[in-house]
Amino acid sequence: MLLTEHGLYAASDPNGFRPLVVGTLPDGGTVVCSETAALNAVGATFVQDVAPGGLVVVDRNGLRIDHYTTKTELAVCSMEYVYFARPDSEIHGVNVHQARVRMGKRLAAEQPVDADIVCGVPNSSLSAAMGYAQASGIPYEMGLVKSQYVARTFIQPTQELRERSVRMKLSAIRPVVAGKRVVLVDDSLVRGTTALQIVKLLRDAGAAAVHLRISSPPLRFPCFYGIDIQSTHELMAANHSVADMRQILHVDSLGFLSVDGLERSVGLTTAAPHHGLCVAYFTGEYPTPLDDYAATLQDELSQLNIKVAEVSA
Ligand code: SF4
């Protein structure tokens, strides 16, 4: 986005990795933002999603939505649907909450387990937990509560700060979880820091068993499209098999949603690779050519994954 003395310019990259939407205010003003939730917040009316390669110009002639290239291929960041975006946002016509519920439903079908209650990690995993409960028939319960005043752990700069903020932000409701076999639904497993502490919270509150279900596939590859995970050392699933992770996290079982399940749950389009999503985090298939640094990193990681597969085979 660029603001000059001549006008406001906003562009979407040729893959549309990040969402970009245009809205209008009651007084005729234009709003350009990432999420439709922001339009609602300022009382603006949705006009349209900006397509990949799209260019928005707002100047003294008014609003124009055009494109700067036609060499485009839709690859919206799948993590927007999984974790980043607000549940009340719509990205390319798909409501984020409803997509997460579908992820939870598919997760229940792909990774079933016998248990007493389903709990989600507040707040971004609650929709998927509802879906898991609906599809499995296991009652949905509020086993964890979250303080509203602590920032997301994912974006804390150091490990120590991330661990401290988990303890400050979450607590288990003992009468709900004590003696229960709990299905704990989380939207993603990045470093494992949060999951490890949440499992401990549930066990300390008396949970009889904790079955961890992740409503996205294992994160194994770095992101080169604006998310600050560029080293595979930080990614738990890049360095450990599922069986190893189950032991490290002290859970009774561990299961992930498949890449296919994620793509179908979002249900964006079937007309583009991976249903119009970027799933590089999970598959290492980057929608754009990688530069030398990224290619070297990817090569090293492929070798590492081969070793992990050999060890866990
Ligand atoms: S690599 Fe992952 S975080 Fe980055 S754009 Fe693709 S799906 Fe999103």
Side-chain angles (χ1 to χ4, degrees), residues 164-311:
R164 195 186 308 158
S165 82
V166 170
R167 288 193 300 273
M168 285 172 63
K169 100 176 165 180
L170 287 174
S171 62
I173 303 181
R174 181 175 288 272
V176 171
V177 302
K180 301 283 184 3
R181 295 169 300 164
V182 179
V183 181
L184 175 65
V185 178
D186 205 349
D187 50 48
S188 51
L189 194 62
V190 184
R191 301 174 183 86
T193 315
T194 311
L196 184 61
Q197 294 195 44
I198 295 171
V199 171
K200 186 170 183 318
L201 282 177
L202 291 172
R203 292 208 185 277
D204 289 349
V210 181
H211 300 281
L212 183 58
R213 293 294 178 271
I214 307 293
S215 59
S216 61
L219 293 169
R220 294 200 169 107
F221 295 86
C223 175
F224 302 110
Y225 307 121
I227 301 304
D228 189 23
I229 293 272
Q230 298 199 349
S231 162
T232 56
H233 301 301
E234 298 175 70
L235 299 172
M236 190 180 206
N239 300 291
H240 300 281
S241 66
V242 173
D244 288 346
M245 288 190 280
R246 187 189 73 71
Q247 282 198 330
I248 294 166
L249 296 169
H250 301 298
V251 288
D252 296 86
S253 70
L254 172 63
F256 292 82
L257 183 64
S258 67
V259 173
D260 182 62
L262 172 62
E263 292 169 3
R264 290 175 190 278
S265 299
V266 176
L268 198 54
T269 170
T270 51
H274 293 292
H275 295 217
L277 295 174
C278 173
V279 289
Y281 240 7
F282 317 115
T283 64
E285 294 168 59
Y286 293 91
T288 60
L290 300 180
D291 64 18
D292 289 348
Y293 165 72
T296 307
L297 207 63
Q298 192 189 28
D299 200 41
E300 283 174 6
L301 189 70
S302 306
Q303 296 301 324
L304 189 66
N305 279 335
I306 290 165
K307 284 180 192 150
V308 168
E310 283 168 359
V311 168

Side-chain angles (χ1 to χ4, degrees), residues 110-121:
E110 292 182 9
Q111 302 286 348
V113 66
D114 196 15
D116 302 310
I117 56 171
V118 178
C119 299
V121 177

Side-chain angles (χ1 to χ4, degrees), residues 52-107:
L55 178 66
V56 181
V57 180
V58 186
D59 58 17
R60 60 170 57 89
N61 298 316
L63 167 67
R64 291 192 310 287
I65 304 174
D66 206 336
H67 56 267
Y68 61 89
T69 178
T70 52
K71 288 185 183 163
T72 62
E73 187 169 75
L74 187 67
V76 184
C77 170
S78 53
M79 288 301 285
E80 294 283 351
Y81 291 99
V82 169
Y83 171 75
F84 297 136
R86 273 177 45 156
D88 50 341
S89 282
E90 317 260 328
I91 305 172
H92 291 288
V94 176
N95 172 261
V96 171
H97 161 71
Q98 290 175 328
R100 288 175 187 168
V101 170
R102 291 193 292 273
M103 289 172 208
K105 287 183 173 176
R106 280 190 182 268
L107 182 62

